[in-house]
Amino acid sequence: AQKVTQAQTEISVVEKEDVTLDCVYETRDTTYYLFWYKQPPSGELVFLIRRNSFDEQNEISGRYSWNFQKSTSSFNFTITASQVVDSAVYFCALSEARDTGNQFYFGTGTSLTVIP
Amino acid sequence: DVKVTQSSRYLVKRTGEKVFLECVQDMDHENMFWYRQDPGLGLRLIYFSYDVKMKEKGDIPEGYSVSREKKERFSLILESASTNQTSMYLCASRLDRGNTEAFFGQGTRLTVV
């Protein structure tokens, strides 16, 4: 079963619009960690944020914000006033504390295109 | 700056060739990973290593092997390349703790003809 689901395959928005990328996860662990990565056209995945399962506070970093809700097993990512440089593939990932291999479980990614 | 470096950005190999993809990290991380990325499938784990000379199969190990003789280097080997191994390959490393992020290399786009 897929541990991380990103149902939106592709999204297009016009510059300055807000956009939310959805992420739903599945785990039986009580301690786990959630991540968002950005993959620009250059190819390298860039770390954006980490959240542990005990911290449900939402986080804001400039135009980026993250909404973590354990009740719905979701960790959504919102970009406010989108810019062309936000065009990229975004991945949500899960890591479980009991996993001795320290694996990441990635979603299939959401490709965001911001149109000027 | 922390660094994960993959030896090649682009590679073109012939069917049946033995292919080596090299990855080096300078962060003294215990864990290293090889993923392949294909459209619509996201990142799929091929192999990972949690220590020198240790390796574990990921979700899609068939047709691949790995080598980790030194802590900083993790090699992915395609014993006999096939066209269905044409893909983007990403190497990553991570400290030995679940709450840390992974650092990725720039990726190697491999084409097997």
Side-chain angles (χ1 to χ4, degrees):
Chain A
Q2 190 76 10
K3 284 182 177 276
V4 177
T5 301
Q6 294 179 256
Q8 304 150 307
T9 306
E10 295 181 358
I11 301 176
S12 291
V13 298
V14 176
E15 202 171 19
K16 297 197 176 97
E17 285 184 350
D18 299 347
V19 59
T20 295
L21 310 183
D22 297 333
C23 173
V24 174
Y25 63 92
E26 180 182 333
T27 180
R28 294 183 180 178
D29 278 16
T30 55
T31 303
Y32 53 90
Y33 309 93
L34 297 163
F35 303 79
W36 275 96
Y37 281 85
K38 174 182 180 180
Q39 186 181 38
S42 59
E44 183 175 338
L45 269 78
V46 177
F47 165 73
L48 295 178
I49 191 170
R50 170 184 58 247
R51 220 4 143 227
N52 73 54
S53 52
F54 299 109
D55 183 2
E56 282 196 75
Q57 267 194 319
N58 290 333
E59 175 129 353
I60 298 175
S61 176
R63 297 184 297 106
Y64 295 173
S65 62
W66 290 270
N67 184 343
F68 176 30
Q69 292 198 333
K70 286 177 79 170
S71 60
T72 56
S73 297
S74 64
F75 186 42
N76 296 337
F77 173 29
T78 297
I79 302 174
T80 304
S82 60
Q83 300 176 1
V84 172
V85 292
D86 296 326
S87 296
V89 181
Y90 291 86
F91 291 95
C92 180
L94 165 74
S95 176
E96 296 167 321
R98 288 190 303 173
D99 186 345
T100 56
N102 286 302
Q103 286 189 52
F104 278 87
Y105 300 95
F106 283 90
T108 51
T110 298
S111 178
L112 173 65
T113 301
V114 181
I115 303 163
Chain B
D1 250 2
V2 296
K3 271 280 192 216
V4 178
T5 304
Q6 295 181 229
S7 51
S8 306
R9 280 304 295 271
Y10 301 95
L11 272 180
V12 179
K13 295 292 181 181
R14 295 197 178 276
T15 302
E17 275 193 77
K18 190 168 186 175
V19 181
F20 292 86
L21 303 184
E22 307 286 349
C23 175
V24 177
Q25 51 98 359
D26 64 0
M27 296 163 283
D28 204 34
H29 286 171
E30 293 86 357
N31 298 298
M32 295 188 74
F33 307 85
W34 275 106
Y35 293 89
R36 67 176 278 177
Q37 182 179 7
D38 300 288
L41 298 177
L43 274 69
R44 293 181 292 167
L45 182 64
I46 305 171
Y47 268 97
F48 65 96
S49 168
Y50 51 88
D51 202 350
V52 175
K53 296 191 187 296
M54 305 303 289
K55 60 186 179 185
E56 292 283 345
K57 294 180 180 179
D59 299 320
I60 51 165
E62 297 79 19
Y64 303 94
S65 62
V66 290
S67 171
R68 192 161 180 208
E69 297 296 318
K70 294 185 177 181
K71 191 175 186 180
E72 67 269 19
R73 187 180 295 270
F74 192 36
S75 303
L76 180 69
I77 304 155
L78 287 66
E79 297 290 341
S80 177
S82 64
T83 54
N84 63 11
Q85 293 178 308
T86 292
S87 186
M88 169 72 94
Y89 290 87
L90 292 163
C91 174
S93 73
R94 186 184 192 192
L95 272 174
D96 191 22
R97 287 195 292 275
N99 65 341
T100 58
E101 68 267 32
F103 294 86
F104 282 82
Q106 76 276 30
T108 296
R109 187 163 292 284
L110 172 68
T111 302
V112 182
V113 298

